Amino acid sequence: QVQLVESGGGLVQPGGSLRLSCAVSGSFFSISDMGWYRQAPGKQRELVAAIASGSTNYASSVKGRFTISRDNSKNTVYLEMNSLKSEDTAVYYCNAEMRATVWGRQMDYWGKGTLVTVSS
């Protein structure tokens, strides 16, 4: 069974920094693109950042402050968040498009989420 487990969430002051991690475990063949989404209370889930081979994309609200990266040797994707604002408060979810086997189809997998609270 493939699992995506997020970690690194917590309470941080405005202007502070935090790094989220998402590790993929279980039996799988390959991972293609990965991303981070977030959902604040009363709001829709939105794309924060995504990373594929040789490219990255960011939501306009976080561009310049957040950095997405991945370590393929660890099957892990990271989200470095700097200059955090109160409006960044949300549950952050890890997403990955991957194949369980070499012959299998690409599937979309999600983590359970990790809470990030930005408050003084």
Side-chain angles (χ1 to χ4, degrees):
Q1 176 80 315
V2 174
Q3 287 187 299
L4 277 65
V5 181
E6 303 100 333
S7 63
L11 176 64
V12 63
Q13 297 181 56
S17 300
L18 209 60
R19 185 167 87 154
L20 305 182
S21 298
C22 174
V24 180
S25 63
S27 180
F28 67 93
F29 172 68
S30 64
I31 304 172
S32 54
D33 57 311
M34 303 184 77
W36 287 94
Y37 291 72
R38 69 184 182 187
Q39 186 169 28
K43 300 186 67 177
Q44 292 185 313
R45 186 173 300 187
E46 64 175 346
L47 173 68
V48 177
I51 185 168
S53 297
S55 66
T56 57
N57 289 299
Y58 297 92
S60 60
S61 60
V62 307
K63 193 171 185 178
R65 298 189 297 119
F66 292 10
T67 301
I68 187 170
S69 62
R70 63 194 292 179
D71 185 338
N72 292 332
S73 68
K74 297 181 179 179
N75 298 317
T76 301
V77 63
Y78 305 93
L79 183 67
E80 294 187 28
M81 304 182 290
N82 300 309
S83 301
L84 284 161
K85 306 173 181 179
S86 60
E87 47 263 50
D88 293 319
T89 297
V91 175
Y92 285 70
Y93 298 90
C94 178
N95 170 262
E97 191 172 72
M98 54 195 296
R99 287 182 175 183
T101 64
V102 65
W103 49 264
R105 62 171 294 184
Q106 287 189 328
M107 300 289 287
D108 205 35
Y109 294 84
W110 290 88
K112 299 294 183 181
T114 184
L115 177 63
V116 172
T117 302
V118 184
S119 177
S120 59

